[in-house]
């Protein structure tokens, strides 16, 4: 049974850089265990020691949030598509961030958040 | 309903319009499944954020946090900034917005026109940096008031007291409410109200799924969930990609004549999904969804014309909702 899993950039160190990997399992929990057998360490980044999904991780089955489908017990079927994403703030802040990201691209990702702001009132 | 003492009094009370052409066709004899659009672009500055801005300012006034002549500080260059600038102007406050220095000149002009002052944060740090800058400025100016929409209960309260009751009054047969998930204020407030009043109501979130660059900025341990968010208010939560959002945004103007921004397209995509499920299950459904704002501010993206692939590329790396 093949389920396509989309891996976010930040976790591709566990998949040898692969954006999409395949796995199997009747539930999301089974799928993550299966993936961990080939991509060691991945599961621990997604599931806490308490056995629940990490607060800042969102997982979607066919574009629907698994937390509303039973979380790790969510049922999976052959051909399903699973997407893993980090939680981000959207909404009203969008366009400011958009401009920053669009102009600086991936370079923005390596700037530490501790960089001294040079705020200027114009 | 057509005369108000001031622009602030004209906030809310937006029309709910049926979408007879986009609503799914049901088999003969089956119960009706109808889509309804709540036109939030009809608010004073053209977006749903006017409701939250007004409530957050009024709450701060009644709490004694805001006094005449005070300065409001907010890290935003989007609709909330525009709404706050208008409310601040009319209520006698100074508004300072923090945003990355390379935001479009269109945004800067719009905010300045409404009277906001702008503090730029270094572009390279993106939104994290702008929020950090805002916090630092806040520490340097303890007398400035930061309303912080992601954690301000008055944001959700605005929708509990206005959006929710308006929807129930206009559509007592409502079965689904679909809105976008950003600060989560709209869904938390409207959702709580409708859950109290309507048995079995489904509260459905549509969350924009951006291009990879956006998520590339985030380490999973530094993720962010707005303080206002309470998952128990929602029934379901959909992630909607750029292509689907653009497709639905175009469909909405082509088929029903409603010209909206891309976040509305994402919401419509989720609304259509639940509507088609209802048809399949032979259930009656009145699905109300939010039109957050008009499309005017997004025309320069070029994503309203050309192929879907071109539009997707134009929005790649942007937080389009």
């Amino acid at each position: 049974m093949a389920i396509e899993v989309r891996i976010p950039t930040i976790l591709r160190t566990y998949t040898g850089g692969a954006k999409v990997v395949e796995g199997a399992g009747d539930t999301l929990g089974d799928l993550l265990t299966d993936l961990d057998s080939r991509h060691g360490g991945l599961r621990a980044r997604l599931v806490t020691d308490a056995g629940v999904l990490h607060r800042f991780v969102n997982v979607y089955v066919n574009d629907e949030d698994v937390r509303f489908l039973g979380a790790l017990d969510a049922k999976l079927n052959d051909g399903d598509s699973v997407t893993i994403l980090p939680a981000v703030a959207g909404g009203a802040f969008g366009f400011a961030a958009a401009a920053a990201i669009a102009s600086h691209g991936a370079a923005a990702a390596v700037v530490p958040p501790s960089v001294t702001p040079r705020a200027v009132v114009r | 309903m057509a005369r108000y003492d001031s622009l602030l009094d004209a906030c809310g009370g937006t029309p709910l319009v049926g979408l007879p052409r986009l609503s799914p066709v049901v088999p003969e004899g089956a119960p009706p499944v109808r889509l309804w659009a709540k036109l939030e672009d009809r608010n004073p500055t053209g977006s749903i954020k006017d409701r939250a801005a007004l409530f957050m300012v009024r709450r701060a006034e009644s709490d004694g946090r805001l006094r005449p002549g005070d300065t409001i500080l907010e890290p935003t260059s989007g609709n909330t900034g525009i709404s706050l600038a208008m409310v601040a102007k009319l209520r006698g406050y100074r508004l300072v917005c923090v945003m990355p220095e390379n935001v479009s000149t269109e945004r800067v002009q719009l905010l300045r026109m409404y009277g906001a002052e702008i503090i730029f944060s270094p572009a390279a740090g993106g939104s994290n940096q702008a929020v950090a800058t805002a916090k630092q400025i806040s520490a340097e100016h303890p007398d400035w008031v930061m309303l912080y929409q992601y954690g301000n209960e008055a944001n959700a309260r605005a929708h509990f007291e206005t959006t929710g009751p308006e929807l129930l009054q206009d559509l007592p047969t409502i079965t689904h409410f679909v809105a976008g998930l950003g600060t989560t204020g709209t869904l938390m407030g409207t959702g709580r109200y409708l859950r109290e009043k309507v048995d079995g109501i489904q509260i459905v979130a549509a969350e924009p799924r951006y291009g990879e660059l956006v998520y590339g900025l985030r380490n999973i341990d530094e993720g962010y969930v707005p303080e206002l968010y309470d998952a128990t208010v929602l029934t379901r939560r959909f992630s909607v990609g750029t292509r689907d959002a653009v497709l639905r945004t175009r469909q909405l103007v082509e088929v029903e004549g409603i010209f909206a921004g891309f976040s509305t397209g994402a919401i419509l995509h989720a609304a259509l999904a639940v509507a088609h499920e209802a048809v399949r299950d032979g259930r009656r459904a009145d699905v109300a969804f939010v039109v957050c704002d008009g499309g005017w501010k997004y025309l320069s993206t070029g994503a309203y014309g050309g192929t879907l692939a071109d539009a997707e590329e134009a929005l790649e790396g942007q937080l389009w909702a």
Side-chain angles (χ1 to χ4, degrees), chain A residues 63-90:
Chain A
D63 291 344
E64 189 159 1
D65 187 332
V66 293
R67 287 193 174 90
F68 299 89
L69 301 170
L72 290 172
D73 297 327
K75 295 276 178 277
L76 297 177
N77 293 299
D78 199 13
D80 279 349
S81 170
V82 171
T83 303
I84 301 169
L85 289 175
V88 303

Side-chain angles (χ1 to χ4, degrees), chain B residues 105-187:
Chain B
T105 56
E106 197 178 17
R107 293 269 146 181
V108 175
Q109 282 174 12
L110 202 47
L111 278 161
R112 284 197 176 136
M113 186 187 70
Y114 272 107
E117 288 168 49
I118 298 167
I119 294 180
F120 291 99
S121 64
S127 57
N128 279 346
Q129 182 58 63
V131 172
T133 303
K135 285 185 172 162
Q136 181 177 326
I137 293 163
S138 181
E140 287 165 7
H141 301 273
D143 53 322
W144 291 7
V145 178
M146 198 154 142
L147 294 172
Y148 189 55
Q149 57 170 343
Y150 293 95
N152 191 325
E153 200 274 329
N155 173 0
R157 174 59 57 172
H159 300 286
F160 186 90
E161 289 187 15
T162 68
T163 318
E166 288 170 27
L167 279 164
L168 189 60
Q169 184 178 340
D170 293 338
L171 190 64
T173 55
I174 187 170
T175 57
H176 299 72
F177 172 66
V178 191
L181 197 70
T183 68
T184 77
T186 307
L187 279 158

Side-chain angles (χ1 to χ4, degrees), chain A residues 10 12 19 56 58 60 63-65 68 87-97 99-101 103 108 115 117-120, chain B residues 75 77-78 80 100 102 120 123-124 127 129 133 136 149-150 207 209 212 218 220 224 231 236-239 298 317 319 321:
Chain A
I10 201 85
R12 287 184 200 153
K19 210 167 151 175
F56 296 135
N58 290 327
Y60 306 87
D63 291 344
E64 189 159 1
D65 187 332
F68 299 89
V88 303
F93 206 62
F95 268 77
I101 294 158
S103 309
V115 67
R118 45 190 178 86
V120 182
Chain B
S77 67
T80 301
N102 56 344
F120 291 99
S127 57
Q129 182 58 63
T133 303
Q136 181 177 326
Q149 57 170 343
Y150 293 95
E207 178 187 15
R209 184 169 69 247
E212 293 205 334
R218 310 286 170 148
I220 275 178
Y224 180 72
R236 305 173 75 174
R237 175 170 164 175
F238 291 97
S239 168
Y298 314 99
L319 289 152

Side-chain angles (χ1 to χ4, degrees), chain B residues 24 27 35 46 60 75 82 86 112-113 144 150 154 193 242 254 283 287 313:
Chain B
L35 287 170
I82 295 166
M86 182 275 292
R112 284 197 176 136
M113 186 187 70
W144 291 7
Y150 293 95
Y193 178 84
T242 311
E254 280 164 18
R283 283 183 284 113
V287 181
E313 198 177 328

